[in-house]
Amino acid sequence: MGCRLSSVHEEAKPQLSKDQARILTTTWHEIHGDLEKIGLLMFMGMFDNHPETKQFFGLTGGPMTSDDPKVIQKIQEHGLRFMTIARRLVRNLDERDKFESIILDLGRRHNSYKADINLIDMFGQQFISSIQPTLKNNWNPAVEDAWTQLFKCISYTMKLGILEAAAEEGKDPLF
């Protein structure tokens, strides 16, 4: 297991530039009014594109539909939690220690949920796909690069939190 922890440390730690942080803050102000909708779209898209992720959220079965209010409510709750974390991270872009602490804690919690570390990267990709419609008039390569880089930072640090928590427990995280 030490091998896996050191392999995360060996990866180049992603960083955000000041310009990317500015872009993230600016575009966040444009999407913050649609947080519930974006969260729902993100998780619906995730479950449709990667059905293997449903099991980690207590959902099983075929394609996701908007017919079952209980399923939709559960997805909305997950989406809103995700968006709340995203808001906290964007608000703390200039406070590197707090920013990283939030993500490390998130990783540690996800270790206790037995989250599959290999699925972490998919959430960023799905989030970016979900915000594009809201930012359609202001979507450009710089905006996409900034959000992509943010999720690289999140993914790297969250995986580190998962691995550190698993190492403290003497367990092997799911791979």
Side-chain angles (χ1 to χ4, degrees), residues 22-23 29 51 70 72 75 79 81 107 144 154 163 168:
R22 181 190 54 75
I23 290 169
H29 290 299
K70 289 181 183 178
I72 295 304
I75 294 170
R81 278 194 295 273
E144 184 171 5
I154 293 170
L163 293 171
E168 289 168 7

Side-chain angles (χ1 to χ4, degrees), residues 27 31 33 48 79 93 122 126 151:
T27 54
I31 66 172
D48 285 343
L93 288 172
M122 287 186 224
Q126 195 62 49
F151 278 97

Side-chain angles (χ1 to χ4, degrees), residues 18-58:
K18 288 184 182 199
D19 193 45
Q20 287 171 325
R22 181 190 54 75
I23 290 169
L24 292 167
T25 301
T26 301
T27 54
W28 181 262
H29 290 299
E30 294 177 48
I31 66 172
H32 84 275
D34 288 333
L35 295 186
E36 190 172 318
K37 178 180 119 186
I38 292 169
L40 179 64
L41 286 173
M42 186 188 90
F43 276 90
M44 292 289 284
M46 173 66 74
F47 298 146
D48 285 343
N49 295 324
H50 304 282
E52 69 276 18
T53 60
K54 289 192 280 186
Q55 67 179 331
F56 296 102
F57 297 90

Side-chain angles (χ1 to χ4, degrees), residues 24 27-28 90 127-128 131 143-151:
L24 292 167
T27 54
W28 181 262
V90 170
F127 176 83
I128 290 167
I131 65 170
V143 170
E144 184 171 5
D145 288 345
W147 283 102
T148 299
Q149 191 63 18
L150 173 65
F151 278 97

Side-chain angles (χ1 to χ4, degrees), residues 64-92:
M64 303 305 295
T65 66
S66 57
D67 296 342
D68 185 346
K70 289 181 183 178
V71 169
I72 295 304
Q73 180 180 355
K74 194 169 201 169
I75 294 170
Q76 284 176 326
E77 289 169 1
H78 288 302
L80 206 48
R81 278 194 295 273
F82 184 94
M83 298 305 287
T84 299
I85 293 290
R87 178 178 37 219
R88 284 183 64 206
L89 292 173
V90 170
R91 287 182 177 167
N92 287 289

Side-chain angles (χ1 to χ4, degrees), residues 92-142:
N92 287 289
L93 288 172
D94 294 331
E95 296 182 47
R96 176 59 54 191
D97 290 342
K98 187 167 184 175
F99 175 84
E100 288 183 0
S101 175
I102 293 167
I103 304 168
L104 282 170
D105 181 57
L106 186 64
R108 288 184 186 103
R109 282 186 307 196
H110 278 72
N111 178 65
S112 70
Y113 307 148
K114 300 189 181 350
D116 185 336
I117 199 168
N118 294 309
L119 300 177
I120 301 291
D121 296 330
M122 287 186 224
F123 283 88
Q125 297 161 359
Q126 195 62 49
F127 176 83
I128 290 167
S129 295
S130 299
I131 65 170
Q132 275 181 301
T134 301
L135 294 173
K136 63 183 169 207
N137 295 331
N138 294 316
W139 192 258
N140 60 56

